[in-house]
Each structure stands twice: as structure tokens, then as C-alpha cells.
Amino acid sequence: MTQIHYPQKPPTEPPKPEHLTKNRDLPGLWMTHDPAIFRDPVSKNYYVYSTGAICKRSKDLLHWESLGKVVDMPPKESVDWTNSDDIWAPDIIKTGAEYRLYCSNSSWGVRQSCIFLAVSDKPEGPFIPRGCVLKTSDSLPVNAIDANIIEEADTGAQYLLYGSFWGGCHIILLDKDTGMAAEDGIGTCLARRPSWTDCSIEGPYMIYHPETKYYYLFVSYGSLKSDYNIRIGRSRKITGPFYDFQGRDLADLNDHDNTIGLMISCGYRWFDGTPYMAPGHNSVLQDDDGRIFLVSHIREMNFKDEPEPSTMQIRQLYLTPDAWLIAAAQPYAGETLQALSPKDCIGNYERIALTPSIPQGIMCAHPMRLMENGRMECCSVIGTWEMTGNHTLTIQYGNITESLIASPAWDRELDHPTLMLSGLSDQGICTWYKKRPN
């Protein structure tokens, strides 16, 4: 067996708040809702901007300090339009020397909404409102909230992604000089859901990967219900269409079985510890060293129809051999990929299959074992496994093959180091594994 360098125990979250208030600047990561991750190219600090216009800062993605509210109020034009001073789901981009924060201003359940731009000369603000970028009303099929800004790889042109419920998620061209909309109308629809699902889709976020030359679109299904989950599609063009693992368009309304979009995160329950539900409204960090991170809010499992505060999780994203992105089986604790031997992987595991369902359920772990002779046992299923690289392996059973990435990790439920496997089957199902103690 090799000498595995496991991550150290990550910081402990403060106690969960007993009562929810309008104050979103809570200790630790509680109520870090709709988190937008950003690495400042100047200071090299990491920042998260979340609903309430709250900003948090970190040097390592593990230890976070709150900087408080960085936008005082939406512009008057926006408040007059929405009759609300709430600030939701900020997203940031640095253009030249200017830091631009795109914020949503709205009220729950309506399309009388606005995305406004606020600017600063530093990532910690304060950000001063410049004006309204996009306004919508109940007369339109779209909702102007949940902004995300992306630049086209070849041209450098900037686009705004936005949208929630109703007509889905759209993309519209921006004027890079001003940061405001460069075209009239509502833009192009990239993803939507059929009416039998209440049309709940939101939080679009897009990245471009220079190695695969794909644009990856992340969307959240299910809003704030227990079945909230994160799915992706990919495209060669920034304006789509975006296709999932099975080649289906994320804007296709013919989704009778809730399977459009590669589901990379959903509610889950390991054998021990706290079960979680409703990961969603994610952002993505492409770090300087090439690593990619998924950042989302998530809640402890609670089916009692009582308010449940969100917290924030960060997971590494890995590229699969066929250029899909999958999420790590455990939240980030500072781990890095390293060379492993087959003997390192032998043992008993917990396995979670992120399988789409109606409604999307909490996916529960079941036992799995990798044996010395290349045999795999998972309940009554018998298969084979083999190492295919320094930290990659495949598992085969029946007519299914899973490609997996192995990494040291910190077991958040059992509070000790572990080995995790993060995979994708050739049927388009993501899988999470973590090794049990001897």
C-alpha cells in the first residue's frame, strides 16, 4: 500500500440557529444562500457573495470570515419597479479594474423583478448601484433573477444568464463597456421544465473548459423544495443548445420521467451522521491550479414543513474520460488527487447512486465491497473492478460500467480520513462512494 496523504479535519460549523430571522449574516456558513464563488486575481483571496448581499472571504476555501453586507440598497428605479428592497443571488465579474456585482431584486413568487448592476474598485465593496440591467413583469414568460455572467471564449463577449420558474433560464448579450444589456428582449432560452413539475428551474450558471472546449450549463431543479437538485448539460456554443448525457436538450419540455440533465448532486443519506436535502443554486470556481469546485447551498433533511436554515457546501468537480463533470463524494477538506495502488482501494464502502426519481428523493447509501481478486459485491450484485490509472478505476456489473476517480477525503459523517470514489456510469448515473473504517 502507498503512503496516502489525507486532508486534516476541516473547521467545525457553529451550532445551527434555532430561529430564522431576516438577518442573513449568521455565524459560520449558516444562511449562505445562493452562493456565488469568486477568486480575486489581485489579492488571490476567495469570496462568496450570497442572498442579502452578504460577502465572505477565505484564503483556502475552508476558513471563512464574514465581511457583512456589501450593497446597501437596490437603485431607486429597481425598488420602484419591484416594490421591494430585497437583494438576492449576487454574481460577480471583474472587467478591467472594475468589479461588477449583478444582483436580483424581487419578491417571492412574482415576475415583477429586476437584475441591477452595482460596481466597486475592490471585491470587498462597497458596491454602488449603477442601474437596472433587465426588468420583467407578470406579462412576460421569464423572471429577471439569478444572474450569472460568462465571457465567450473566442470573442470575449459577455453574456448574462438568468431565470427562474415559468419560461426557464435564458441568456442575453451584455455591453462589456457598460455592463448593461446590449440587446432588447429576453434573450435565448437554454433550459426549462414541463408544467407538470411546476416549472421549477433556476440558478443557471455556466463555465467554459479550455481543455474540452465545452460550455457547461448548471441548473437547479425543484426550487427550495426537498427535491432540489443540480443538473448539467454541455454545448460547443455559449448560446446552446445544451445537451445532457443522453443527448437531450435541456430546453426540451418532453421530460415525462424527470431525467433530462445529468444530475450531479441531490439529497443524500450515508449510514451515519446528518442526512441532507436540497442542494441547489450553485456557482463554480475554476481555480488557478486547474481544479474546479462546485459551491451550493444545502439543508439538513427535514420533511416536517418547518423552516430549515441552509448552509454551504463546496465539492471538487472532476472531468470524466468522456468530458463530463461530476461532483466529489465528500465536501472539500483540502484533499488533492494522488497516486494510489489497488491495495489502497480494497475494502468495504458505502455507495450512493444519484438516480433521478419522481419526485427527486433522498438517495440512501447501501454497502459495497471491493475485493482483492478483482471481485465487486454490492448487495446481491456481483461484478468486477480494476485500476485504470494512478487514481482511476472501473467497476463492471451486468451491462453497466462505472468510471471512478479515487481520492483521499475527510469523512464528514464519521469525522475521520477516508478514501472516496466519485463516478459516472455509462448509463448516465453519478455515484458516490466512501470507504468504511476497518
Side-chain angles (χ1 to χ4, degrees), residues 22-39:
K22 289 187 176 180
N23 177 26
R24 293 184 175 270
D25 191 9
L26 298 181
L29 297 175
W30 294 111
M31 293 309 293
T32 307
H33 201 71
D34 308 326
I37 188 73
F38 173 70
R39 180 129 198 230

Side-chain angles (χ1 to χ4, degrees), residues 5-31:
H5 300 286
Y6 291 99
Q8 296 181 348
K9 180 177 178 176
T12 301
E13 183 80 335
K16 183 168 65 174
E18 294 183 4
H19 305 286
L20 298 184
T21 68
K22 289 187 176 180
N23 177 26
R24 293 184 175 270
D25 191 9
L26 298 181
L29 297 175
W30 294 111
M31 293 309 293

Side-chain angles (χ1 to χ4, degrees), residues 178-198:
T178 65
M180 310 301 279
E183 57 181 309
D184 296 327
I186 62 175
T188 302
C189 180
L190 299 183
R192 55 185 177 169
R193 297 190 75 199
S195 58
W196 66 265
T197 66
D198 80 5

Side-chain angles (χ1 to χ4, degrees), residues 9-82:
K9 180 177 178 176
T12 301
E13 183 80 335
K16 183 168 65 174
E18 294 183 4
H19 305 286
L20 298 184
T21 68
K22 289 187 176 180
N23 177 26
R24 293 184 175 270
D25 191 9
L26 298 181
L29 297 175
W30 294 111
M31 293 309 293
T32 307
H33 201 71
D34 308 326
I37 188 73
F38 173 70
R39 180 129 198 230
D40 178 30
V42 179
S43 67
K44 304 301 181 183
N45 288 327
Y46 300 97
Y47 294 88
V48 160
Y49 305 84
S50 60
T51 282
I54 304 299
C55 178
K56 290 182 168 65
R57 179 178 61 195
S58 174
K59 291 187 178 298
D60 58 6
L61 297 175
L62 296 171
H63 300 82
W64 293 91
E65 60 175 321
S66 177
L67 303 180
K69 191 171 184 178
V70 294
V71 183
D72 183 41
M73 283 281 290
K76 183 178 184 302
E77 178 188 358
S78 183
V79 174
D80 290 345
W81 180 259
T82 65

Side-chain angles (χ1 to χ4, degrees), residues 331-406:
Y332 180 65
E335 70 274 0
T336 56
L337 293 175
Q338 54 197 267
L340 301 168
S341 71
K343 285 187 177 181
D344 296 322
C345 299
I346 292 169
N348 295 306
Y349 290 78
E350 300 174 37
R351 176 185 186 269
I352 295 177
L354 306 185
T355 307
S357 61
I358 304 175
Q360 187 53 51
I362 308 299
M363 298 292 100
C364 296
H366 45 265
M368 191 276 294
R369 182 164 57 154
L370 298 182
M371 304 170 71
E372 190 171 354
N373 58 359
R375 179 184 173 98
M376 182 278 290
E377 293 181 358
C378 185
C379 302
S380 63
V381 175
I382 297 173
T384 60
W385 73 279
E386 65 174 342
M387 295 289 295
T388 57
N390 285 337
H391 49 257
T392 59
L393 59 152
T394 59
I395 294 177
Q396 293 182 306
Y397 49 94
N399 66 341
I400 296 173
T401 299
E402 291 181 25
S403 298
L404 298 144
I405 296 167

Side-chain angles (χ1 to χ4, degrees), residues 53-122:
I54 304 299
C55 178
K56 290 182 168 65
R57 179 178 61 195
S58 174
K59 291 187 178 298
D60 58 6
L61 297 175
L62 296 171
H63 300 82
W64 293 91
E65 60 175 321
S66 177
L67 303 180
K69 191 171 184 178
V70 294
V71 183
D72 183 41
M73 283 281 290
K76 183 178 184 302
E77 178 188 358
S78 183
V79 174
D80 290 345
W81 180 259
T82 65
N83 197 31
S84 168
D85 60 6
D86 285 347
I87 299 176
W88 299 347
D91 188 48
I92 190 168
I93 189 169
K94 184 177 186 290
T95 302
E98 189 172 67
Y99 294 85
R100 297 175 175 176
L101 197 69
Y102 289 80
C103 306
S104 303
N105 174 217
S106 186
S107 299
W108 181 255
V110 303
R111 281 169 282 178
Q112 193 77 18
S113 305
C114 177
I115 293 172
F116 70 89
L117 171 61
V119 300
S120 178
D121 60 359
K122 54 184 181 295

